[in-house]
Amino acid sequence: MKTIATVTLAFVTAILVNAQEQKWVAPRTSDDHPDMQGAWARRGTRIQEANGLVSPLGEFSSTGQPYPTIFNTGVATALDRATLAVQKTGVVDPADRVLPWRPEADAARREFILHMIPPASLKYVEPTARCVLPGPVDGDDRSPFFIIQRPGSFVLAYEYNHVTRVIYTDGRPHVGKKLRFFMGDSIGRWEGDTLVVDTTNFNDKTSLAQTIPYHSEELHTAERFTRVSPNLIEYQLTLEDPKLFTKPIRVAGYFAAAPKDTEPMEFACAEGSQTLPNVFGIEFAPTR
Amino acid sequence: MKALLASWAMLISAGMPLLGQAPARLPRTPDAKPDLNGIWQALNTASWDLEDHTGALHTPPGQSVVEGGEIPYRPEAVAKKAQNFAGREKYDLAEAACYLPGVPRAMYMPYPFEIIQTPKLIEMNFSFAHARRNIIGDGTPHPDGFPDFWMGDSRGRWEGDVLVVDVKNLDERTWLDHAGDYHSDALHVVERYTMIDPTHIQYEATLEDPKVFTRPWKINMTLYKILDKNAKILEYECVYYLQDEKYGNAKPVVVSK
């Protein structure tokens, strides 16, 4: 009897705590959407497959990644570890993290990555090592992210490689089909208190993970940003690429509040990178 | 009659900024500052040459945007500028390597940029090289001990309706234009953004660099708002294009272990 009472009490408490959590309502912007503005640390959005494929890029870092580490030791978050420990991260669908590869596409990328270290030619150089815009997944999560909201647009500014995504929510359509971008063309809309971002018009020049070195132009993503507490935005990224996968895959992560005084600093990449000159023995820009 | 007067009043007030009188009705942010949000672009040839220049192959002609016409170089700096000019195809890193163009050059590259304005942080997102400026407006000064940045360290404040941005820590490798006009790491830029009507910003920058110039000097130009429907900043990822050109057919020198 005592056990039942305890269990019941625990159950009631859980409901109460749950109710309390649900009561939290995000502060609003002037156009009455949840206010997510500020500095954030992104975590967990990596695509890690449960298929035993070894990244060839583990060795690559020893030859000199372009990322500066002197000023970028990693952005802290104000959230406690216990809160973060229960957050879903990484591939959540499929649950076993075995990606729904098309067999021929899986074979092709396995063959491809054999030529990446050392790169057999320019096309085998890992895209982020070229300091170009990172595409839908990559980016250095040691660097903070900044969210700015204006009526009609939502801005996600990465410190990493000064990537700026201006996501219009003013009802405009995607740009024309011929246009292709590293970051794709993003259009947002609000579903209640969740920002849903639809991105098309990708080029095929960015990687999805160290073991997924490219994707096709048919890549189509959907992202969901939901601010669930003062210090946490839950994030989901669904990727569809019919040339690679037979089904969409879904990745979870989150943005945790960074210290309030976090300022965006300059993350110049191409200007300092010696990766390509080292690989090809040809200088990129003159020094004098 | 009243309606007629009112429309006259509107016409007059709309024309006034051009006459240097009371400002036109400006769009305002919730904190009552002029609303600079939007996509802008300079429509001049300053990025080719800040000073007067006659047209040449791949160089559109243009009049000087420098107050007084000429940049006041120190005598010993004139030769360096001439040397830069001679080697501009190779050594102008913004053009030759698609590197971040620096400040103030980013403001008059022939590509659009977007201003994203909040009370304490103004971001500028440039099409060229996906460059960005982070203009910190929370009242903090330039931090001590920062290194030099390609785009400098920008601190903004409002003087009435004028956005004033103080820029230091500028990397000496950026040039001011494709004609080899240059600066040192001592460059200090003070920019003034004055919105003169809803679609025009008067842009003024004062450049002070005692290692290169005999006195502070100014550039002055108009920034025009891009009004095309659904306009957005598109990627001009020229580092990638240049890498393809340089290394596309190259053989790696790195050998397998």
Side-chain angles (χ1 to χ4, degrees):
Chain A
M1 187 65 199
K2 198 176 169 190
T3 314
I4 292 172
T6 311
V7 169
T8 310
L9 187 65
F11 184 63
V12 169
T13 310
I15 289 172
L16 284 176
V17 169
N18 215 356
Q20 252 178 4
E21 276 175 3
Q22 282 170 0
K23 241 188 189 170
W24 186 82
V25 176
R28 317 303 284 187
T29 56
S30 63
D31 54 345
D32 200 30
H33 294 299
D35 189 339
M36 306 193 204
Q37 299 185 95
W40 302 89
R42 188 177 77 171
R43 299 283 189 263
T45 58
R46 298 289 156 162
I47 302 178
Q48 278 165 330
E49 302 175 66
N51 61 0
L53 189 59
V54 177
S55 164
L57 298 173
E59 297 170 45
F60 191 78
S61 56
S62 61
T63 67
Q65 282 278 11
Y67 312 135
T69 51
I70 305 168
F71 310 110
N72 255 312
T73 51
V75 60
T77 91
L79 271 185
D80 61 277
R81 283 167 194 277
T83 308
L84 298 180
V86 299
Q87 287 299 312
K88 284 182 178 167
T89 58
V91 177
V92 292
D93 186 13
D96 61 4
R97 301 191 178 202
V98 176
L99 302 187
W101 280 99
R102 291 188 174 283
E104 67 281 10
D106 188 18
R109 61 100 187 214
R110 284 169 189 267
E111 167 64 21
F112 188 95
I113 66 174
L114 293 177
H115 303 287
M116 291 180 76
I117 298 296
S121 69
L122 183 61
K123 83 167 188 173
Y124 293 103
V125 174
E126 212 280 325
T128 51
R130 294 179 65 168
C131 291
V132 291
L133 290 161
V137 187
D138 269 337
D140 188 341
D141 286 355
R142 290 173 299 181
S143 296
F145 290 70
F146 297 84
I147 291 175
I148 295 173
Q149 286 166 262
R150 302 178 292 185
S153 66
F154 182 99
V155 180
L156 186 62
Y158 305 30
E159 182 178 86
Y160 167 76
N161 204 1
H162 43 91
V163 178
T164 311
R165 294 180 61 193
V166 179
I167 300 160
Y168 289 96
T169 54
D170 58 1
R172 71 177 67 187
H174 279 298
V175 296
K177 282 192 167 58
K178 278 188 182 173
L179 288 168
R180 294 289 148 185
F181 307 117
F182 288 83
M183 300 304 292
D185 182 64
S186 294
I187 294 293
R189 67 176 192 280
W190 290 93
E191 278 184 16
D193 279 359
T194 295
L195 177 74
V196 181
V197 182
D198 184 272
T199 306
T200 57
N201 298 76
F202 283 105
N203 67 21
D204 57 2
K205 303 178 192 310
T206 65
S207 58
L208 296 180
Q210 290 197 335
T211 52
I212 311 174
Y214 53 75
H215 54 80
S216 81
E217 289 192 345
E218 288 176 44
L219 178 66
H220 179 189
T221 69
E223 295 163 282
R224 299 177 67 85
F225 296 78
T226 312
R227 188 171 180 181
V228 295
S229 75
N231 293 319
L232 194 64
I233 295 171
E234 286 183 350
Y235 175 77
Q236 282 191 11
L237 168 66
T238 302
L239 301 108
E240 269 185 271
D241 186 339
K243 293 236 172 112
L244 296 189
F245 306 118
T246 56
K247 290 187 300 191
I249 58 175
R250 193 157 50 94
V251 178
Y254 57 85
F255 291 83
K260 287 224 181 319
D261 58 354
T262 305
E263 287 180 356
M265 286 179 76
E266 179 173 280
F267 189 124
C269 183
E271 291 75 9
S273 174
Q274 287 301 311
T275 304
L276 295 180
N278 287 344
V279 168
F280 295 104
I282 300 170
E283 75 170 5
F284 184 69
T287 47
R288 62 167 186 178
Chain B
M1 187 62 199
K2 230 178 192 172
L4 193 65
L5 273 176
S7 65
W8 268 112
M10 274 177 68
L11 273 176
I12 290 166
S13 72
M16 269 181 175
L18 298 175
L19 305 173
Q21 296 177 25
R25 195 173 298 141
L26 301 177
R28 300 265 169 190
T29 57
D31 60 336
K33 303 296 188 243
D35 188 346
L36 309 180
N37 281 295
I39 297 174
W40 303 87
Q41 188 171 342
L43 298 177
N44 59 34
T45 60
S47 187
W48 282 266
D49 192 339
L50 290 167
E51 298 180 341
D52 284 340
H53 55 282
T54 305
L57 189 62
H58 305 308
T59 304
Q63 292 182 287
S64 181
V65 297
V66 178
E67 212 173 87
E70 290 185 8
I71 299 170
Y73 281 106
R74 296 174 65 92
E76 65 274 19
V78 173
K80 170 88 185 287
K81 143 84 203 227
Q83 190 192 348
N84 286 351
F85 182 82
R88 65 192 182 282
E89 299 309 334
K90 188 171 177 193
Y91 295 108
D92 174 12
L93 295 177
E95 292 285 340
C98 297
Y99 282 3
L100 293 169
V103 175
R105 188 170 178 187
M107 308 312 297
Y108 46 79
M109 292 287 285
Y111 302 86
F113 64 95
E114 180 160 15
I115 296 181
I116 301 155
Q117 179 180 350
T118 75
K120 290 183 177 171
L121 175 67
I122 295 175
E123 299 281 19
M124 291 183 180
N125 175 32
F126 299 83
S127 177
F128 180 82
H130 73 269
R132 189 171 74 218
R133 293 182 63 185
N134 309 305
I135 299 171
I136 313 291
D138 60 1
T140 53
H142 297 287
D144 285 334
F146 265 22
D148 288 344
F149 300 117
W150 290 84
M151 300 297 283
D153 181 68
S154 293
R155 304 278 150 174
R157 65 179 189 277
W158 288 92
E159 284 182 5
D161 279 351
V162 181
L163 173 66
V164 182
V165 182
D166 195 284
V167 193
K168 284 186 171 170
N169 297 72
L170 286 151
D171 193 301
E172 65 182 354
R173 287 171 288 182
T174 62
W175 285 4
L176 302 173
D177 58 26
H178 188 55
D181 287 306
Y182 77 107
H183 61 85
S184 79
D185 59 358
L187 178 65
H188 175 204
V189 181
V190 180
E191 303 172 285
R192 296 176 65 85
Y193 296 80
T194 310
M195 196 175 212
I196 51 178
D197 68 34
T199 55
H200 298 86
I201 294 172
Q202 199 58 41
Y203 175 78
E204 179 194 281
T206 303
L207 292 86
E208 189 183 359
D209 183 345
K211 290 186 188 171
V212 180
F213 312 120
T214 58
R215 57 174 169 79
W217 53 282
K218 285 182 183 177
I219 58 172
N220 214 306
M221 66 187 69
T222 309
L223 302 175
Y224 298 84
K225 189 164 190 175
I226 305 294
L227 300 174
D228 298 319
K229 194 179 174 213
N230 295 339
K232 55 170 74 173
I233 296 297
L234 307 182
E235 294 167 3
Y236 183 66
E237 197 66 343
C238 75
V239 141
Y240 191 90
Y241 318 143
L242 203 58
Q243 289 168 349
D244 276 355
E245 189 181 278
K246 265 195 156 94
Y247 304 112
N249 297 316
K251 290 255 183 301
V253 294
V254 180
V255 288
S256 237
K257 270 181 251 173

